[in-house]
Amino acid sequence: MEPTASLPVVVIGAGPTGLAAAAHLAGRGLEPLVLEAGPAAGAAVREWSHVRLFSTWAEVVDPAAEKLLAATGWTAPDSAGYPSGGDWAGRYLQPLADALGDRVRYGARVTGVSRAGRDRIVDAGRDTQPFVVHVAHTDGREERLFARAVIDASGTWTRPGPAGGSGLPALGEQAAADRVSYRVPDLTDPEVRLRYAGRRTAVIGSGASAFTALAQLADLARREDGEGTHAVWILRRGISGSTFGGGTADQLPARGALGLAAKAAVDQGFADAVTGFRTDAMERDADGRVVLVGEDGRRLDAVDEVIVLTGFRPDLSFLGELRLGLDERLQAPVGLAPLIDPNQHSCGTVYPHGHRELSHPEQGVYLVGMKSYGRAPTFLAMTGYEQVRSVAAAVAGDLRAADRVELTLPETGVCGGAGLFDAPEAGRVADGGCCAPEAGRAADEGCCAPEPQVVRIGAPAGSAAAGEAPEGGCCGS
């Protein structure tokens, strides 16, 4: 077996954070080996290629990656422009992967990671053993690789959250699979457009993806071929001043505009908001349409389609032989979890962090990017880039650089909020304000929560801000 120092650093996932990690490692003279389960770079990003990010190009291109690309003659996009997922994959991620050459392998799914000759139980000589990585290839081959360190940037895209309010699938959710989607629909696709045009669709969720779906369905309803399209927006909490994000005060203007577009969809009557509703079951009526049943027994009018956008979860199944230190709630590293808890933080209030917060009892393994956030929805691409800069420095032994973590994130927005995340309305009082949860009580036990209700918000919106919102957005940007 080779000495550990001569082995590559295995990076799992050729998405934005994984490729940035490879660029930082290469820049430090370390050899990265990127294993991507999909057929191309940014395979997950390509699945939402129709969605526009709320971050500009300047905020989604990693500095080390840009330096690597510059040597290839790459032409950088306009830094002030807003890429779609397809733009991001095609104009940045794939060229970056191409620049890394055979350091990136496609069709290579990681099925297990451990210490060579040591299962999870064994202590003796553990830290001196290399990591062993099992890989399954699309052609059926299996391979065993050795690594000096493992950086897991595989994201959370493959594990969307269910509709059920308890974190489990609603009763009947699987049986209704032909009517349920867990992605923002691509309404530019004629076949997908026909699925939603002129129909009644429930959108479950309260983040940027839900905003995007609401805005796009409203746009379809305004079109001649979409007459009769209507959305029912299902929220587990109530409506408050922060429901639609930061608006014009958001330091990411497109993110704020996205929330305003969702608000316009409700204000203009293209969507109804059902508040305080936690889905318990999905039933079918005589026509095969879906009836959502709440935990409180309420039954909503039948819908033709359901779009579930309740976040994502990390796949930890192939890491079972490693000694990970994960927060019991968020499934994020214990050092990071308090900094990103969506009950307390939005995207802009996350404290800068690096290799120390991302470390585990198993030295040399790091979960980075969206996966490092576990179930928290507050991730931005620039956070992941700073994570891997710090991690690459730590793997290289440059702790001074690794500890010099500097990151300033835009404030406000749609990514959670102080004590109100996924809670029913925390008590709306007469002047429109909210009473905070009582000391010592969980966020979902807030005082004076209203009864679930269907509401229309405000008068028809005519502001330029609402009308000029971008066509989409992505909280994972």
Side-chain angles (χ1 to χ4, degrees), residues 254-335:
R255 183 173 64 188
L258 179 60
L260 293 175
K263 184 177 187 301
V266 178
D267 287 345
Q268 295 171 6
F270 297 114
D272 294 323
V274 180
T275 64
F277 189 92
R278 292 178 176 270
T279 306
D280 184 63
M282 293 186 186
E283 299 178 358
R284 306 294 280 265
D285 69 5
D287 296 322
R289 303 172 81 203
V290 178
V291 176
L292 299 180
V293 182
E295 291 181 351
D296 58 0
R298 298 178 66 221
R299 301 170 62 87
L300 303 183
D301 291 340
V303 295
D304 299 289
E305 301 288 342
V306 181
I307 302 174
V308 181
L309 300 169
T310 55
F312 295 87
R313 302 170 177 187
D315 180 4
L316 303 170
S317 62
F318 59 89
L319 303 176
E321 291 304 317
L322 296 176
R323 298 176 178 180
L324 301 181
L326 298 174
D327 178 75
E328 67 274 9
R329 294 175 303 148
L330 299 184
Q331 295 179 299
V334 292

Side-chain angles (χ1 to χ4, degrees), residues 13-42:
T17 308
L19 291 174
H24 281 278
L25 291 165
R28 287 187 164 274
L30 301 175
E31 188 62 24
L33 177 57
V34 183
L35 303 175
E36 167 58 48

Side-chain angles (χ1 to χ4, degrees), residues 22 50 81 103 355 367 387 396 442:
H50 58 291
R103 293 163 168 165
H355 74 109
L367 276 57
Q387 287 180 343

Side-chain angles (χ1 to χ4, degrees), residues 5-69:
S6 66
L7 295 173
V9 177
V10 164
V11 179
I12 305 174
T17 308
L19 291 174
H24 281 278
L25 291 165
R28 287 187 164 274
L30 301 175
E31 188 62 24
L33 177 57
V34 183
L35 303 175
E36 167 58 48
V45 174
R46 293 174 192 271
E47 292 193 26
W48 49 268
S49 60
H50 58 291
V51 178
R52 191 167 302 282
L53 280 69
F54 53 61
S55 298
T56 64
W57 273 111
E59 295 157 340
V60 297
V61 173
D62 174 79
E66 186 170 19
K67 182 178 179 180
L68 181 63
L69 282 166

Side-chain angles (χ1 to χ4, degrees), residues 9-239:
V9 177
V10 164
V11 179
I12 305 174
T17 308
L19 291 174
H24 281 278
L25 291 165
R28 287 187 164 274
L30 301 175
E31 188 62 24
L33 177 57
V34 183
L35 303 175
E36 167 58 48
V45 174
R46 293 174 192 271
E47 292 193 26
W48 49 268
S49 60
H50 58 291
V51 178
R52 191 167 302 282
L53 280 69
F54 53 61
S55 298
T56 64
W57 273 111
E59 295 157 340
V60 297
V61 173
D62 174 79
E66 186 170 19
K67 182 178 179 180
L68 181 63
L69 282 166
T72 70
W74 176 71
T75 301
D78 178 7
S79 63
Y82 291 92
S84 66
D87 295 332
W88 202 16
R91 299 181 63 188
Y92 168 65
L93 298 178
Q94 193 61 57
L96 176 55
D98 293 343
L100 288 164
D102 58 9
R103 293 163 168 165
V104 182
R105 298 183 187 177
Y106 303 112
R109 181 178 301 279
V110 174
T111 58
V113 182
S114 186
R115 289 280 189 178
R118 307 289 188 274
D119 63 20
R120 184 170 179 158
I121 299 174
V122 179
D123 291 332
R126 188 176 192 87
D127 291 344
T128 63
Q129 292 297 103
F131 290 95
V132 59
V133 181
H134 283 205
V135 183
H137 295 271
T138 52
D139 62 5
R141 290 183 301 113
E142 292 184 326
E143 186 178 11
R144 182 176 60 189
L145 303 170
F146 295 98
R148 63 181 293 175
V150 174
I151 299 175
D152 184 356
S154 59
T156 58
W157 180 252
T158 61
R159 292 176 59 87
S166 300
L168 301 172
L171 296 179
E173 184 170 343
Q174 294 179 351
D178 60 318
R179 301 269 184 160
V180 181
S181 171
Y182 298 88
R183 305 285 189 259
V184 175
D186 180 3
L187 298 182
T188 65
D189 182 320
E191 186 174 338
V192 175
R193 195 176 182 89
L194 282 174
R195 177 174 177 175
Y196 296 96
R199 297 190 173 188
R200 180 178 168 88
T201 299
V203 177
I204 304 176
S206 59
S209 294
F211 289 176
T212 301
L214 290 169
Q216 292 186 352
L217 289 170
D219 182 68
L220 176 59
R222 296 183 185 101
R223 309 280 179 169
E224 185 175 348
D225 65 340
E227 183 178 357
T229 303
H230 193 79
V232 181
W233 187 21
I234 310 297
L235 296 104
R236 293 171 181 171
R237 55 183 174 182
I239 300 292

